[in-house]
Amino acid sequence: MASDLTVIVLAAGGGTRMKSKTAKVLHEIGGRSMVGHVLSAVGALEPAKVVAVVGHQREQVGPHIRAVMPDAVLAVQAEQQGTGHAVRIAVEAAGTSSGTVLVVYGDTPLLEGRTLRAFAQEHHAAECAVSVLSGVVEDPFGYGRIVRNEEGDVEAIVEERDASPLQRDIREIGSGIFAFDGEFLADVLPRIGNDNAKGEYYLTDTVGLAREAGLTVGAFPIEDVIQTEGANDRVQLAHLGRELNRRIVDQWMRDGVTVMDPATTWIESDVRLAPDVVLLPNTQLLGATVVAEDAVVGPDTTLKDCEVGAGARVVRVHGELAVVAEGASVGPYSYLRPGTELGTGGKIGTFVETKNAHIGAGAKVPHLSYVGDATIGEHTNIGAGTIFANYDGTHKHHTTVGKGAKTGANNTFVAPVSIGDGAMTGGGAVVRRDVPPGNLAVSGGPQRNLERRVPRDPGPASTGDGPIGDGESAEGES
Ligand code: UD1
Ligand code: CA
């Protein structure tokens, strides 16, 4: 089937109700644009040719489609004169009229490849000139109605504005998704007129024209109607986004992932999870995030394009482009910025921010620290409150801490600087020069305890009256 299949994606419409500078079909749910979801469903059919019709905001939509599906042919519909007109332009651009032609819309993000495949098979099995994917809905307002005769055969599709009161009561609607015999399509397109309420060339008119020619027409109802629903405004976008997420989360649970609270768990389309991953409430896994088995993520965690190793624990974390190896532990309250790599069994702890930081296996940055542009060796422990001062106001510099080092609390490492294997630093050290392996680095003068000259007034009003800290007694440090 695939070898003679052409798919036309209609994406020329305006999308006024989005009230957005971004083209409608580029609005995202589940980490992909709406048209990106449609192209993914279309791609699953491995069609010989995909033609996308672009019009409104085509300077945005065209390059996006090219990026998602480089082989797609772009056809420009400068003026939106209707779906029939759009398909005519697409068929001209495709330059072929043989085989099967599927028509889909670019704004139906829940559409699945297997739905399209089953529809195309029904179309072939019934040997139809044209088939429409239909659906039975509670409120058919605004849709084209499927008009059937007493035998139940499809006679025509009538648009809302052109329908008689009796036809308006029909609850079977056309989804807009069509399958055509290519030769019939090429023949019928020039014969579609625009003598209707909107003055547009309706693709739906092909159904009546096929019937008049005595050809077989099919309407195949889909139960899962939401797959054919488009988002015209942001309320519908959020509705479809929630439903897409529900489907993704359900699928992962069926594949062996424990999700404690599906309603507050968001998993985008390209995320990959292993069995026995546990996701705790309020977790968002975005982009190309991958989580290996037995890892526990959450609660209150957002990971975008991150890799979490087997059995790792990630609690209340915001991370992007970070790698957390097997058995490592992150959080609570950590900010993993791009280029963070935490080794096996390592730890990035509470109120720690990391960026371009390679933290070796078993190494720990447990508390209140900033680690930027750094390499930390295996089994090194970084003291609480350490700042890797990587920025001199103009350039960023690198800090290296060797293996098995133990640095004191409240240190500042002024990059570029290197601390050797097994070295130690004293509390409060400001490390400006390299520390050789095994050495202990201390900085700052010795502690001086100064006797107070004035008897201390124990009352609260005395704050700041004493000599300590008022500068009088400072002798200057060497
Ligand atoms: C269309 C169908 C209707 C169906 C409904 C399902 C027609 C005449 N009507 O109505 O039977 O029930 O979809 O949602 O086909 N587009 C173009 N170029 C155009 C016009 C439209 O690319 O000149 C694209 C739009 O971007 C959109 C799609 O085609 O993605 C549907 O167009 P729209 O005008 O929204 O059709 P409806 O009135 O919703
Ligand atoms: Ca529409």
Side-chain angles (χ1 to χ4, degrees):
M1 179 184 82
S3 58
D4 71 346
L5 177 67
T6 301
V7 182
I8 296 171
V9 181
L10 300 189
T16 336
R17 281 176 281 164
M18 280 290 177
K19 301 192 177 155
S20 177
K21 59 186 172 303
T22 302
K24 176 170 83 169
V25 294
L26 300 191
H27 281 261
E28 291 186 358
I29 62 174
R32 280 187 202 153
S33 66
M34 291 204 275
V35 71
H37 285 287
V38 171
L39 291 172
S40 154
V42 164
L45 302 185
E46 297 177 6
K49 202 168 258 184
V50 175
V51 185
V53 181
V54 295
H56 274 281
Q57 292 165 292
R58 56 183 177 270
E59 66 295 341
Q60 292 177 13
V61 180
H64 177 78
I65 289 173
R66 270 278 157 70
V68 176
M69 193 179 261
D71 292 343
V73 176
L74 294 182
V76 174
Q77 186 192 28
E79 236 183 283
Q80 281 68 63
Q81 298 177 41
T83 47
H85 178 247
V87 169
R88 198 162 81 203
I89 286 170
V91 167
E92 280 162 18
T96 108
S97 59
S98 62
T100 303
V101 180
L102 277 183
V103 178
V104 300
Y105 294 167
D107 68 346
T108 56
L110 265 56
L111 184 64
E112 293 176 19
R114 58 186 168 186
T115 301
L116 286 178
R117 187 175 292 118
F119 171 57
Q121 273 158 6
E122 284 176 304
H123 166 76
H124 281 128
E127 294 178 13
C128 294
V130 47
S131 301
V132 61
L133 188 65
S134 68
V136 178
V137 296
E138 276 306 308
D139 179 12
F141 180 80
Y143 291 101
R145 309 296 204 283
I146 308 290
V147 182
R148 293 180 186 263
N149 64 20
E150 277 135 28
E151 282 79 50
D153 298 327
V154 179
E155 296 271 303
I157 300 181
V158 182
E159 293 303 302
E160 176 77 36
R161 292 208 222 171
D162 306 297
S164 69
L166 217 61
Q167 289 170 332
R168 288 201 178 122
D169 288 340
I170 299 172
R171 286 173 46 228
E172 186 183 3
I173 56 113
S175 66
I177 296 171
F178 283 94
F180 292 96
D181 170 68
E183 277 153 37
F184 165 72
L185 182 63
D187 171 66
V188 78
L189 283 171
R191 295 196 279 121
I192 298 175
N194 64 350
D195 183 17
N196 51 51
K198 267 176 143 178
E200 284 188 357
Y201 297 90
Y202 291 165
L203 186 63
T204 45
D205 282 358
T206 57
V207 169
L209 290 167
R211 283 297 282 182
E212 281 165 28
L215 299 167
T216 313
V217 170
F220 301 105
I222 176 176
E223 274 196 15
D224 192 20
V225 184
I226 198 167
Q227 282 194 40
T228 68
E229 274 180 28
N232 294 305
D233 61 27
R234 305 202 200 209
V235 175
Q236 290 169 341
L237 185 72
H239 171 68
L240 294 182
R242 233 175 2 253
E243 179 57 22
L244 176 65
N245 186 62
R246 196 185 68 75
R247 290 171 181 220
I248 292 172
V249 171
D250 280 3
Q251 189 56 51
W252 283 120
M253 290 193 289
R254 286 196 194 95
D255 289 346
V257 173
T258 297
V259 179
M260 186 186 271
D261 184 14
T264 63
T265 302
W266 290 81
I267 305 175
E268 288 187 344
S269 299
D270 294 329
V271 169
R272 292 293 164 257
L273 306 175
D276 289 322
V277 161
V278 176
L279 304 180
L280 299 179
N282 277 311
T283 291
Q284 296 161 284
L285 301 179
L286 314 177
T289 293
V290 179
V291 185
E293 63 179 359
D294 300 322
V296 182
V297 181
D300 305 325
T301 294
T302 302
L303 299 179
K304 182 166 193 230
D305 301 322
C306 288
E307 253 180 76
V308 178
R313 189 83 179 80
V314 179
V315 187
R316 294 182 211 276
V317 170
H318 187 97
E320 193 167 338
L321 283 167
V323 178
V324 175
E326 203 176 312
S329 150
V330 185
Y333 307 106
S334 322
Y335 180 23
L336 310 182
R337 291 167 53 198
T340 296
E341 285 186 34
L342 178 60
T344 306
K347 180 181 174 85
I348 293 173
T350 313
F351 301 109
V352 173
E353 174 181 346
T354 58
K355 184 212 73 170
N356 271 339
H358 295 232
I359 301 172
K364 294 181 174 157
V365 186
H367 329 274
L368 300 157
S369 294
Y370 171 63
V371 184
D373 300 307
T375 307
I376 298 174
E378 292 170 16
H379 301 290
T380 283
N381 191 85
I382 302 296
T386 295
I387 303 300
F388 285 64
N390 58 333
Y391 188 46
D392 62 13
T394 316
H395 297 106
K396 302 280 171 70
H397 301 280
H398 194 86
T399 297
T400 303
V401 183
K403 299 177 197 168
K406 290 209 170 10
T407 65
N410 196 28
N411 278 200
T412 302
F413 301 149
V414 183
V417 76
S418 168
I419 296 169
D421 292 347
M424 296 180 79
T425 62
V430 178
V431 179
R432 299 174 190 278
R433 289 186 294 122
D434 289 357
V435 181
N439 277 208
L440 167 66
V442 292
S443 73
Q447 176 175 333
R448 289 162 297 125
N449 294 335
L450 304 174
E451 207 176 303
R452 293 165 55 106
R453 284 179 231 141
V454 204
R456 191 179 173 81
D457 176 356
S462 71
T463 312
D465 284 352
I468 292 177
D470 67 2
E472 240 181 272
S473 57
E475 283 165 20
E477 287 180 10
S478 51

